[in-house]
Amino acid sequence: MAGHPPPRRRDAERNRQAILTAARTLLARSGDVPMYEIGRSAGVGQATLYRHFRAREDLVLAIFSEQLAELETVAQARRGDPDAFLDLLRTIVEMQARYHGLVDCLRWTTGAGLRQRLERAMSEPLATAASDGRLRADASIDDLHLITGMVDGALRSEHDPTARARIATRVVALALNGLTRS
Amino acid sequence: MAGHPPPRRRDAERNRQAILTAARTLLARSGDVPMYEIGRSAGVGQATLYRHFRAREDLVLAIFSEQLAELETVAQARRGDPDAFLDLLRTIVEMQARYHGLVDCLRWTTGAGLRQRLERAMSEPLATAASDGRLRADASIDDLHLITGMVDGALRSEHDPTARARIATRVVALALNGLTRS
């Protein structure tokens, strides 16, 4: 499913990467940043911007796809490592804190597709961690979706990036270790 | 702050209670139920309904106020009991699962007022539980808000009441005991 982009001329690919780099920075600052500001920051014209990404959703989808591809690579590289699941979970939550609000830009179908891809990437790491006794006996992939939902909920009213990162870290600490003394 | 309602004639009070009872049932089923259905289910006319509750927000506020008053009573009755905090937290989360979506009906100021009242009611139980070693050493009242936010986030996409209750229970299990094996 990850696949490779169709062959592009080198300058087209350079423009695409410049747009994505600008989008990652600007969208991490605010999910409401207008498309033309992303184009300006990337140093490309509006025509070029819209040739690569017809709508805001395509841009957000490309960013999430890239992040998922990284996650898939790490999951693959760490096959059999019982610590991989918790490390990957922390990475996912950091992404959520950074790009909070962007999920709302996605159509339901697009969001569901990414969710399934996340689930596929995380199933093996979760099973490995569980069979090594790292997780509670009843841990399941549903808990992963629950935790990302929990993080989203806790972040909802916070717009300051520093505070968001702090909240996300605390939610993970609670979700993994619990509020009660173990 | 809880206070007593101003003196009312007995039938007016009976109508008010009938409206609140109907609202609790119907709003637990769907946060979108129209005002006239609540009036009809309570067996009161529209004029009576709107004399008691001018807007949907007043009704939601009254329901949350009642629930908070119960919470305050229990917190008061169990002063010094180190188990009170976790029991009260479970009650709060059950309320969230039951009346999920109603918080969105409240103006920001009203919501903030309830939040402060919740914080006041829960501070002493939290301190008692913490000093008894029931909670992790760095537990604070901010964690309470975080957990209610986490529950809200996990419930956001689920509309079936039974599934909501199940999700809320699981979120509390994760938030209190963690996903990792303790």
Side-chain angles (χ1 to χ4, degrees):
Chain A
M1 292 295 280
H4 292 282
R8 292 168 193 276
R9 289 194 301 120
R10 196 174 287 189
D11 59 341
E13 183 54 31
R14 206 159 29 215
N15 282 339
R16 187 173 185 276
Q17 286 308 325
I19 295 165
L20 281 173
T21 302
R24 272 194 300 267
T25 307
L26 292 174
L27 290 172
R29 219 173 289 157
S30 158
D32 295 328
V33 64
M35 284 290 269
Y36 72 83
E37 258 191 47
I38 294 171
R40 192 164 53 188
S41 166
V44 304
Q46 298 301 297
T48 304
L49 173 63
Y50 284 97
R51 191 162 55 241
H52 285 285
F53 301 100
R54 264 170 303 178
R56 185 188 187 70
E57 193 190 46
D58 299 312
L59 198 46
V60 172
L61 178 60
I63 291 176
F64 281 135
S65 269
E66 272 190 348
Q67 307 272 349
L68 267 170
E70 278 178 42
L71 216 67
E72 285 159 348
T73 305
V74 175
Q76 195 58 37
R78 294 184 61 180
R79 262 185 93 90
D81 176 352
D83 292 322
F85 176 75
L86 292 177
D87 290 344
L88 288 166
L89 181 62
R90 287 197 185 87
T91 306
I92 292 167
V93 172
E94 277 164 28
M95 275 168 48
Q96 282 190 278
R98 203 166 337 131
Y99 299 116
H100 181 61
L102 290 197
V103 176
D104 295 339
C105 299
L106 297 173
R107 279 187 308 269
W108 187 84
T109 44
T110 315
L114 292 173
R115 186 184 147 108
Q116 280 165 12
R117 199 171 142 194
L118 180 70
E119 193 169 313
R120 269 198 306 275
M122 293 295 280
S123 288
E124 198 274 340
L126 183 132
T128 304
S131 69
D132 194 71
R134 292 284 207 280
L135 305 177
R136 46 191 290 169
D138 60 355
S140 84
I141 199 77
D142 287 342
D143 292 321
L144 173 70
H145 297 307
L146 222 49
I147 290 176
T148 59
M150 287 156 75
V151 171
D152 243 23
L155 290 172
R156 199 151 280 268
S157 52
E158 185 58 67
H159 296 286
D160 175 66
T162 314
R164 279 213 304 254
R166 187 176 46 72
I167 288 173
T169 304
R170 183 70 179 169
V171 171
V172 173
L174 291 181
L176 295 185
N177 305 318
L179 184 66
T180 54
R181 186 175 291 248
S182 60
Chain B
M1 291 295 280
H4 293 283
R8 292 170 194 276
R9 288 194 303 118
R10 197 173 287 189
D11 59 340
E13 181 55 29
R14 207 159 28 215
N15 281 338
R16 186 174 185 278
Q17 287 308 324
I19 295 165
L20 281 173
T21 303
R24 272 193 300 266
T25 307
L26 292 174
L27 290 172
R29 219 173 290 156
S30 158
D32 296 328
V33 63
M35 283 290 270
Y36 72 82
E37 258 191 47
I38 294 171
R40 192 163 54 189
S41 166
V44 305
Q46 297 300 298
T48 304
L49 173 63
Y50 284 96
R51 191 159 57 240
H52 285 285
F53 301 100
R54 264 170 304 178
R56 187 188 186 71
E57 193 191 45
D58 299 312
L59 198 46
V60 173
L61 177 61
I63 291 175
F64 281 135
S65 270
E66 273 190 347
Q67 307 272 350
L68 267 170
E70 277 177 43
L71 215 67
E72 286 159 347
T73 305
V74 176
Q76 194 60 37
R78 293 184 62 180
R79 262 186 92 92
D81 176 351
D83 292 321
F85 176 74
L86 291 178
D87 289 344
L88 289 165
L89 180 61
R90 287 197 185 87
T91 306
I92 292 167
V93 172
E94 277 164 28
M95 276 168 47
Q96 282 189 279
R98 203 167 336 132
Y99 299 116
H100 180 62
L102 290 196
V103 175
D104 296 338
C105 299
L106 297 172
R107 279 186 308 268
W108 187 84
T109 44
T110 315
L114 292 174
R115 186 185 147 107
Q116 281 165 12
R117 199 171 142 193
L118 181 70
E119 192 169 314
R120 269 198 305 276
M122 293 295 281
S123 288
E124 198 274 341
L126 183 132
T128 304
S131 70
D132 193 70
R134 292 284 207 281
L135 305 178
R136 46 192 289 169
D138 60 356
S140 84
I141 199 77
D142 286 342
D143 291 321
L144 173 69
H145 297 308
L146 222 49
I147 289 175
T148 59
M150 288 156 73
V151 171
D152 243 22
L155 290 173
R156 199 152 281 268
S157 52
E158 184 56 67
H159 296 285
D160 174 65
T162 314
R164 279 212 304 253
R166 188 177 44 73
I167 289 173
T169 304
R170 183 69 179 169
V171 171
V172 173
L174 290 181
L176 295 185
N177 305 318
L179 185 66
T180 55
R181 186 174 293 245
S182 59

